């Protein structure tokens, strides 16, 4: 029995260890594929600078646009708020209509049969 428990523990350890290796490989691959700006990095390898323009010039501009408009969008509402209200009211209306149809079918003695040819729903 003790030998069986040790075997299960070893299997669990190996399973967890394999998952850790897979996670480490995934993180390493994501880091290798990510954009980097290593202008001031020195070492035995070639620094990657292909993303420096994007990181230093474009990203701050995008962040500035989104951060300045987010407060204004929340206070004004705008078309997004209008369509959210329309969607909500339409969903409530369709839910009510579905309830009325269900009530008519069940009051008329209907079953779960989708063939409603004998029932008058109006």
């Amino acid at each position: 029995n003790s030998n069986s428990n040790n075997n299960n523990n070893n299997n669990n350890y190996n399973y967890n260890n394999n998952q850790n290796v897979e996670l480490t490989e995934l993180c390493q691959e994501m880091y290798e594929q990510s954009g980097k700006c290593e202008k001031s990095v020195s070492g035995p390898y070639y620094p990657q600078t292909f993303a420096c323009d994007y990181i230093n010039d474009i990203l701050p501009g995008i962040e500035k646009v989104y951060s300045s408009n987010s407060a204004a969008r929340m206070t004004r509402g705008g078309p997004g708020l209008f369509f959210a209200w329309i969607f909500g009211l339409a969903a409530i209306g369709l839910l009510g209509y579905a309830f009325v149809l269900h009530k008519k079918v069940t009051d008329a003695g209907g079953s779960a049969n989708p063939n409603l040819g004998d029932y008058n729903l109006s």
Side-chain angles (χ1 to χ4, degrees), residues 95-107:
L95 184 64
Y97 183 66
F99 176 75
V100 167
L101 288 178
H102 174 72
K103 185 100 170 115
K104 284 185 180 183
V105 169
T106 54
D107 287 348

Side-chain angles (χ1 to χ4, degrees), residues 2-4 7 10 17 25 27 29 31 35 38 45 56 59 61 78 83 85 100 105 108 117:
S2 175
N3 190 20
S4 162
N7 195 16
N10 287 337
N17 195 26
E25 289 175 2
C27 292
E29 289 174 12
Y31 176 76
E38 301 174 328
Y45 67 97
N56 294 326
L59 277 182
F83 286 114
W85 273 102
V100 167
V105 169

Side-chain angles (χ1 to χ4, degrees), residues 5-20:
N5 286 340
N6 287 339
N7 195 16
N8 285 337
N9 288 338
N10 287 337
N11 286 339
N12 288 339
Y13 174 76
N14 288 336
Y15 177 75
N16 289 335
N17 195 26
N18 288 339
Q19 282 195 335
N20 289 340

Side-chain angles (χ1 to χ4, degrees), residues 9-107:
N9 288 338
N10 287 337
N11 286 339
N12 288 339
Y13 174 76
N14 288 336
Y15 177 75
N16 289 335
N17 195 26
N18 288 339
Q19 282 195 335
N20 289 340
V21 169
E22 290 175 10
L23 183 61
T24 303
E25 289 175 2
L26 175 69
C27 292
Q28 184 176 359
E29 289 174 12
M30 288 178 64
Y31 176 76
E32 289 171 358
Q33 294 175 4
S34 65
K36 298 173 206 55
C37 182
E38 301 174 328
K39 284 185 176 179
S40 61
V41 174
S42 61
Y45 67 97
Y46 298 104
Q48 296 182 11
T49 59
F50 62 89
C52 289
D53 290 338
Y54 182 75
I55 292 171
N56 294 326
D57 299 333
I58 297 173
L59 277 182
I62 293 172
E63 184 179 356
K64 184 178 176 183
V65 167
Y66 278 106
S67 64
S68 66
N69 284 340
S70 63
R73 279 191 305 239
M74 290 176 74
T75 57
R76 276 191 312 220
L81 182 62
F82 172 75
F83 286 114
W85 273 102
I86 294 296
F87 177 77
L89 293 174
I92 291 170
L94 287 173
L95 184 64
Y97 183 66
F99 176 75
V100 167
L101 288 178
H102 174 72
K103 185 100 170 115
K104 284 185 180 183
V105 169
T106 54
D107 287 348

